[in-house]
Amino acid sequence: MTTHYFTASSLDGFIATTDHSLDWLLKRDVDPDGPMAYQEFERTIGALAMGASTFEWVMRHDGRRWSYTQPTWVFTHRSLDVPTGADIRLTQGEIAAVHAEMVDAAGEKDVWIVGGGDLAGQFADVGLLDEVWVQYAPVTLGAGAPLLPRALDLELLDVARNRDFLCGRYRVVRD
Ligand SMILES: NC(=O)c1ccc[n+]([C@@H]2O[C@H](COP(=O)([O-])OP(=O)(O)OC[C@H]3O[C@@H](n4cnc5c(N)ncnc54)[C@H](OP(=O)(O)O)[C@@H]3O)[C@@H](O)[C@H]2O)c1
């Protein structure tokens, strides 16, 4: 079982603008069946975690339709509205305890920290982040939501070009 942080990023390390827009990303060209594409990655995933801003973006963007079939933990201190029928668990639990629940729920599959960057960092803080996949879009934003605001040593495992994107897959090196 591997815990991944898979995200797209600007070249200067932001995953959203300061006002949580992803317009800079959604206009880019990607081959869904190409190398290191999101679709194939998602098939390996049995449980997801995301922070409240990411959840709220998905809700705004997808018109309150929830497309993930996997159980999803949303970290928040608020009681957010959850779409009917979706397997979404709001939590402010300890990262390690939530991770253990996610691993149980994922069965043979892997765990995906969707974002944001600080939430992925919280998993890294307790030694529970294994891999970081970044799809770099050909743009700089100058400011925004940070990719991964931690000091981590990474090993490059794989690299590919998928149309507009430079894709890297890294292992988190632990002492
Ligand atoms: N480029 C991409 O592929 C990509 C991928 C993922 C996300 N994004 C975007 O990136 C942005 C990320 O936003 P963000 O930096 O604000 O991060 P976020 O993780 O999405 O949301 C942060 C919020 O999550 C809650 N939270 C985080 N850790 C918590 C904990 N341990 N316990 C309880 N609640 C916790 C807090 O919300 P409360 O105030 O509710 O407590 C916090 O303000 C979003 O716009 C998202 O759409 C982009």
Side-chain angles (χ1 to χ4, degrees):
M1 199 288 307
T2 303
T3 300
H4 307 271
Y5 173 39
F6 181 109
T7 188
S9 174
S10 69
L11 213 55
D12 54 344
F14 299 107
I15 62 170
T17 62
T18 46
D19 57 353
H20 294 288
S21 168
L22 295 185
D23 292 352
W24 55 275
L25 173 63
L26 299 177
K27 67 181 186 189
R28 303 290 166 184
D29 190 24
V30 66
D31 175 0
D33 300 314
M36 295 178 69
Y38 161 77
Q39 276 79 351
E40 194 182 332
F41 168 80
E42 204 217 332
R43 283 195 279 276
T44 68
I45 297 301
L48 281 66
M50 64 182 72
S53 307
T54 300
F55 172 75
E56 288 174 315
W57 183 88
V58 174
M59 289 290 89
R60 278 197 308 278
H61 181 254
D62 293 349
R64 295 205 60 76
R65 275 192 318 277
W66 187 253
S67 56
Y68 298 112
T69 52
Q70 302 94 331
T72 302
W73 279 257
V74 175
F75 283 83
T76 184
H77 298 95
R78 294 171 284 148
S79 60
L80 300 169
D81 260 0
V82 166
T84 318
D87 187 348
I88 295 175
R89 303 138 198 228
L90 302 181
T91 185
Q92 43 184 286
E94 244 182 73
I95 297 289
V98 174
H99 185 264
E101 289 175 38
M102 293 176 72
V103 170
D104 263 4
E108 300 292 295
K109 294 196 167 185
D110 287 348
V111 165
W112 176 24
I113 314 306
V114 183
D118 183 71
L119 184 65
Q122 293 178 51
F123 281 79
D125 291 342
V126 291
L128 291 172
L129 185 65
D130 301 310
E131 289 192 12
V132 178
W133 299 53
V134 187
Q135 316 230 303
Y136 285 103
V139 62
T140 57
L141 295 175
L147 170 62
L148 185 47
R150 294 294 189 282
L152 293 175
D153 201 11
L154 304 170
E155 177 193 359
L156 182 62
L157 296 180
D158 201 1
V159 67
R161 176 180 183 170
N162 186 322
R163 294 194 182 158
D164 279 349
F165 290 88
L166 172 65
C167 311
R169 178 180 169 200
Y170 305 84
R171 180 178 73 84
V172 177
V173 177
R174 300 196 188 101
D175 293 337

